Amino acid sequence: MALSVAATASMAFAPTAAVLRAPSSPVAAVSMVERSSALPFLKKPPALDGSMVGDAGFDPLGFSTTITELGGDLAYVREAELMHGRQAMLAVVGWTFPAVFGPIFAPAGSDISLDPLVAQYQLSPAVLGQLFVSMAIAEGLRAQKVFDPNVPVGEHGFGVEFAIKQKWIDTPEKLATMKLKEIKHCRLAMIAITGMFFQQALTGHVYPLT
């Protein structure tokens, strides 16, 4: 009788299975959080679902989340990214080519600087006027494509149609591959032209070009 009472008392103070079981729900919740493939130590932005070409979940400042929460459209943001990237690619070529081969459109005997930050102020008013008018016309035509919901993002009637006609891009897979290559080159060019600008402005040259 005494032994049974002692056993019962000891069992009353013994930890139950529920107490000994480690809490599993927080661990499971942490493991279920989807991480950005570009920045694995950050959560994947909810607005970047991988539907756009080149989407690697890179948005450390949360711009995509803010834009979508305010009712914005990520398609317009991608349009802006492509446009800036294409301009950056042209800028890198325009910066590099004269530094390597010299000015090609400068009048004979003119003293046009090879420093783009200086050369832009050496252009005549007539040339500047032509540039601004050309840019205004190009932007007006581009706006008709950008705000047309039936036009795919980034397709303005150049390049893609010609490539399809020439059978260079004859499958959706090839088109997706080319779009991925373009967005990667766009991002690289934007980083490159920013570095070239600051290097030229701070040191007076861009190594190893000048």
Side-chain angles (χ1 to χ4, degrees):
M1 181 69 177
L3 290 176
S4 63
V5 172
T8 303
S10 63
M11 290 177 63
F13 292 98
T16 62
V19 175
L20 293 175
R21 186 168 55 245
S24 57
S25 55
V27 177
V30 172
S31 62
M32 291 298 292
V33 173
E34 191 172 1
R35 297 292 175 178
S36 166
S37 58
L39 301 171
F41 52 88
L42 294 179
K43 296 180 181 179
K44 180 180 179 181
L48 301 182
D49 56 4
S51 59
M52 292 190 297
V53 176
D55 177 10
F58 181 84
D59 188 15
L61 299 182
F63 288 133
S64 62
T65 303
T66 302
I67 290 170
T68 52
E69 287 178 350
L70 294 176
D73 187 3
L74 288 184
Y76 184 79
V77 180
R78 168 52 60 90
E79 179 71 38
E81 181 183 23
L82 283 171
M83 195 61 205
H84 283 83
R86 290 165 179 171
Q87 291 175 348
M89 288 190 285
L90 289 173
V92 170
V93 175
W95 197 304
T96 304
F97 194 91
V100 176
F101 300 101
I104 56 176
F105 295 115
S110 62
D111 188 18
I112 301 294
S113 174
L114 293 179
D115 183 346
L117 303 183
V118 175
Q120 62 181 332
Y121 298 107
Q122 297 177 330
L123 299 176
S124 65
V127 173
L128 287 175
Q130 293 176 18
L131 288 174
F132 283 117
V133 170
S134 300
M135 287 188 290
I137 294 174
E139 285 298 300
L141 295 174
R142 190 177 72 88
Q144 298 179 12
K145 302 283 187 180
V146 172
F147 297 104
D148 187 346
N150 299 317
V151 177
V153 175
E155 296 186 15
H156 302 154
F158 301 99
V160 174
E161 290 80 359
F162 177 78
I164 293 176
K165 187 179 296 184
Q166 298 299 321
K167 306 297 183 182
W168 296 338
I169 302 176
D170 52 5
T171 64
E173 292 75 16
K174 289 183 179 180
L175 180 59
T177 299
M178 293 303 295
K179 287 185 175 182
L180 178 60
K181 290 180 179 180
E182 180 188 30
I183 195 65
K184 285 184 175 181
H185 282 81
C186 283
R187 293 165 177 170
L188 180 61
M190 286 188 283
I191 295 173
I193 197 62
T194 302
M196 295 168 73
F197 172 85
F198 281 104
Q199 188 176 2
Q200 184 76 40
L202 296 175
T203 67
H205 66 276
V206 174
Y207 179 84
L209 299 176
T210 58

